[in-house]
Amino acid sequence: QLQLVQSGGGLVQPGGSLRLSCAASGFTLGYYDIGWFRQAPGKEREGVSCISSGGGSTVYGASVKGRFTISRDNAKNTVYLQMNSLKPEDTAVYYCAAQVQSSCSGSRYAYWGQGTQVTVSS
């Protein structure tokens, strides 16, 4: 089965940090761009970040630029999202997704992770 398995979510205080992981199972992640998305209750899905298949291009949403960093280790078949200076408005379910390499210019994500909850609260 082709799967993306996520880990690393949890509860943190404002200003804290979390690192999310997205690991491929059953396929080689190095052939795909990986995007991170989030969805809060009552809101539409929001694009957070994207990294190209080789790691040479990255894209960030305006709301997270300067605070979040996306990276990948293709040898480990894993993509990471380092989240620093977290704010309550970052609270959401976070999803990773894979698309055929397009230098983060496409939007046809074929595979999705199961989602992981990130809660930022005092």
Side-chain angles (χ1 to χ4, degrees):
Q1 294 292 109
L2 304 180
Q3 293 182 316
L4 294 174
V5 181
Q6 300 179 225
S7 62
L11 173 65
V12 297
Q13 294 185 336
S17 298
L18 282 175
R19 189 191 193 195
L20 305 183
S21 297
C22 177
S25 177
F27 67 100
T28 301
L29 201 58
Y31 294 118
Y32 296 86
D33 296 350
I34 301 297
W36 286 95
F37 303 85
R38 66 187 183 186
Q39 188 165 23
K43 297 183 178 180
E44 294 185 355
R45 187 183 66 195
E46 175 189 9
V48 176
S49 187
C50 178
I51 187 166
S52 60
S53 60
S57 297
T58 57
V59 177
Y60 296 95
S63 63
V64 306
K65 189 175 182 180
R67 299 188 297 119
F68 291 10
T69 303
I70 190 170
S71 63
R72 68 191 301 156
D73 186 340
N74 286 342
K76 296 182 178 179
N77 230 21
T78 302
V79 170
Y80 307 96
L81 184 68
Q82 179 68 45
M83 305 184 294
N84 298 327
S85 302
L86 284 163
K87 304 175 181 179
E89 51 262 45
D90 295 318
T91 296
V93 177
Y94 284 70
Y95 300 88
C96 62
Q99 68 174 318
V100 176
Q101 57 181 305
S102 65
S103 298
C104 290
S105 63
S107 60
R108 294 177 292 181
Y109 288 93
Y111 307 107
W112 290 81
Q114 82 279 13
T116 187
Q117 178 71 46
V118 172
T119 302
V120 185
S121 176
S122 298

